[in-house]
Amino acid sequence: MDADFTYTFIEPDREIADFVENLGTFQNLSDKAKEVVIIPDGRIDLFFSKSASEPFHITLLGLETYPEQRDIAAHTTAFVVSFKPLAVEYILQTSIADLLNIGKELSPDFWNFTADDLNDFSYCCTKAVEKIKELLPLKTDERKRRLFELVYASKGEMSVQELSERTGWSSRQINRYFTRQLGLSLKAYSTILRFRASLEHIAQGRLFPELNYTDQNHFIKEVKKFSGVPPKELSKNKNDRFVLLSVLKGK
């Protein structure tokens, strides 16, 4: 890993695990921008960041459906909350359908975070978790909770029909919910989760499909669609460009 580019990610308390996948921080300590490739991972990210060239700002990023190269400015420090889709309705209390592959700036006093908070990752985690617990709903629609539980547990491999049957929620209603809240269909979201699950074995150098792909060509095509490169090149992860893969390799 680049010594000037550091990151840490932790899993959340069980109490908020239906809504939050992890909490993280990263820093680019160098005098140059760090080139990274953002790849679809099925998460909704809330970034609190500052750098030598930019003031403290807060950004909500929607779901990604294709890879995108970005530069992390020199001397950047960021704290990020990575949400599961259920959080969009219940914690963020909004829709991100218009944020597909883009983000939007939030008020600089969102959740009462400040630039100085970013200097202490542990404090940021405590502050964010306390705020999320304040926002926890008294009751969650059991169909929605069960749906996302199954989607995650199956790594995106369960069909829409089976999910519908096992949640007692019609496929038409499910897709309407996904489109309205997230900006894409359940099938499209599941495909992203399957790709992400494949990253776990690609990170270990196993470059053949271990999930339900039709064949090797189908696997390669999907990996290239979501990362921009074939599995072999992705596994090499030159210059730690694919941060998500670097995190998985470090596990």
Side-chain angles (χ1 to χ4, degrees):
M1 183 175 69
D2 185 342
D4 288 329
F5 184 69
T6 63
Y7 50 79
T8 302
F9 291 91
I10 63 171
E11 295 183 356
D13 297 352
R14 176 177 289 186
E15 187 177 350
I16 64 172
D18 281 344
F19 304 95
V20 178
E21 185 161 328
N22 57 42
L23 305 162
T25 183
F26 63 83
Q27 290 182 299
N28 177 14
L29 303 174
S30 75
D31 296 326
K32 298 180 179 180
K34 166 70 175 178
E35 179 189 297
V36 298
V37 179
I38 305 301
I39 52 181
D41 62 9
R43 295 181 287 204
I44 299 94
D45 291 325
L46 178 63
F47 278 96
F48 303 81
S49 61
K50 64 179 180 179
S51 72
S53 59
E54 296 179 327
F56 174 71
H57 61 283
I58 304 171
T59 309
L60 178 64
L61 298 180
L63 293 172
E64 296 97 0
T65 61
Y66 55 77
E68 183 177 354
Q69 181 178 309
R70 296 178 189 168
D71 288 330
I72 298 175
H75 300 288
T76 288
T77 299
F79 171 66
V80 57
V81 182
S82 292
F83 291 106
K84 295 179 179 179
L86 198 60
V88 173
E89 176 182 0
Y90 290 103
I91 304 300
L92 298 172
Q93 299 172 9
T94 187
S95 163
I96 59 165
D98 60 342
L99 295 182
L100 206 62
N101 298 304
I102 59 173
K104 71 174 179 180
E105 296 295 312
L106 303 183
S107 169
D109 62 354
F110 184 80
W111 285 9
N112 295 316
F113 270 72
T114 68
D116 288 341
D117 292 340
L118 302 186
N119 298 325
D120 188 333
F121 177 50
S122 179
Y123 177 72
C124 282
C125 290
T126 299
K127 190 169 184 174
V129 169
E130 287 178 354
K131 182 62 179 179
I132 292 166
K133 287 182 177 179
E134 288 177 11
L135 295 168
L136 287 175
L138 295 176
K139 185 177 181 181
T140 306
D141 187 325
E142 180 59 24
R143 297 174 307 172
K144 296 172 183 175
R145 190 200 66 78
R146 179 64 172 156
L147 173 69
F148 285 112
E149 179 182 67
L150 291 169
V151 170
Y152 267 76
S154 69
K155 299 180 178 179
E157 296 212 281
M158 195 172 288
S159 70
V160 177
Q161 183 60 38
E162 185 175 357
L163 288 166
S164 173
E165 292 170 356
R166 295 185 62 172
T167 58
W169 199 13
S170 77
S171 56
R172 182 176 180 181
Q173 289 176 320
I174 290 172
N175 277 314
R176 185 181 299 132
Y177 176 78
F178 263 75
T179 302
R180 184 178 69 245
Q181 289 295 118
L182 305 176
L184 77 180
S185 69
L186 170 55
K187 184 176 181 180
Y189 183 76
S190 294
T191 302
I192 290 170
L193 283 193
R194 182 173 66 172
F195 160 72
R196 191 178 112 192
S198 296
L199 292 177
E200 295 177 10
H201 60 82
I202 290 174
Q204 304 306 317
R206 306 198 305 273
L207 308 181
F208 294 88
E210 297 184 10
L211 296 171
N212 188 28
Y213 289 93
T214 307
D215 53 32
Q216 177 74 358
N217 286 336
H218 181 209
F219 173 65
I220 292 172
K221 183 177 180 180
E222 193 156 289
V223 170
K224 289 183 70 174
K225 173 184 175 182
F226 289 126
S227 72
V229 296
K232 186 174 182 179
E233 184 176 342
L234 181 59
S235 178
K236 291 178 180 177
N237 196 15
K238 187 177 180 181
N239 298 323
D240 281 311
R241 291 186 305 138
F242 299 94
V243 178
L244 179 55
L245 200 70
S246 299
V247 172
L248 290 171
K249 283 187 173 184
K251 284 187 174 182

